[in-house]
Amino acid sequence: MQVHETEFPGLLVLVPKVFQDERGFFLESYNADHFREIGIDCGFVQDNHAYSKDVGVLRGFHFQVPPAAQAKLVWVTRGAVLDVVVDLRRGSPTYGRVEHVILSAANFKRIFIPKGFGHAYVTIMPDTEFQYKVDAPYSPGHESGLAWDDPAIGMDWEPALRGREPILSEKDRRLPGLASFESPFTFED
């Protein structure tokens, strides 16, 4: 597996070794020993799978607050997304900044997102399937989020949306901005 560090401490882009031939492909999606070797020792406890029918489905920025904060390993198995994270860890050199990566079934990339990041994505192909592992179970009492279009976060979604209005859930339409968010996350170097 190729491991690409980002300027965001702890945020990694991973590219698995893919064996392809005329029949198709094989890859190892997850190996706990290998992940420990590269410094990821999460103890994933839940796998999630989301399907989005249309281009422009935007989900996020989502996260869970302590004590139910989640690290995530995310990837796409059909279609493609623009995957975006915002660093919410107080004291982090990248606090409040965003990073984005195209994840697709064709490029096989994965992103490891440590606790303390808000996570969002927008579909850029129809019939997209998004999968992820988390190291803490879903906890409705700890779920939170930030507005996808908050100017304080400053994510430019236009290249992915190409003039379309995003398709949002009612919950995501009501998320607050970063200015009103008191982060419970602390950066640990």
Side-chain angles (χ1 to χ4, degrees), residues 87-166:
D87 190 346
L88 301 174
R89 302 170 297 176
R90 289 179 286 116
S92 170
T94 53
Y95 178 82
R97 291 181 30 207
V98 294
E99 177 70 90
H100 54 85
V101 176
I102 299 289
L103 300 179
S104 72
N107 71 17
F108 298 100
K109 289 181 180 178
R110 282 106 168 87
I111 301 175
F112 173 73
I113 307 167
K115 294 175 184 179
F117 280 80
H119 176 248
Y121 65 88
V122 62
T123 57
I124 56 177
M125 291 181 69
D127 296 316
T128 291
E129 295 192 38
F130 186 90
Q131 297 194 42
Y132 58 106
K133 299 175 112 29
V134 293
D135 70 343
Y138 172 66
S139 176
H142 295 92
E143 71 177 330
S144 192
L146 295 171
W148 69 278
D149 59 350
D150 182 6
I153 294 173
M155 177 58 197
D156 180 9
W157 295 94
E158 182 49 34
L161 290 171
R162 290 177 261 147
R164 294 182 193 88
E165 284 296 314

Side-chain angles (χ1 to χ4, degrees), residues 39-77:
I40 301 172
D41 192 9
C42 284
F44 291 117
V45 298
Q46 182 175 317
D47 287 3
N48 300 312
H49 188 150
Y51 168 76
S52 298
K53 180 175 71 168
D54 297 313
V55 172
V57 172
L58 198 153
R59 301 174 192 260
F61 286 97
H62 298 155
F63 53 92
Q64 287 188 178
V65 297
Q70 296 174 319
K72 296 179 181 178
L73 177 65
V74 304
W75 69 96
V76 169
T77 52

Side-chain angles (χ1 to χ4, degrees), residues 16-50:
K17 185 169 179 74
V18 181
F19 301 92
Q20 297 186 67
D21 62 23
E22 66 280 353
R23 300 167 298 162
F25 71 86
F26 171 84
L27 64 88
E28 191 173 81
S29 290
Y30 175 72
N31 178 310
D33 290 338
H34 183 70
F35 272 62
R36 272 192 294 279
E37 288 172 14
I38 61 172
I40 301 172
D41 192 9
C42 284
F44 291 117
V45 298
Q46 182 175 317
D47 287 3
N48 300 312
H49 188 150

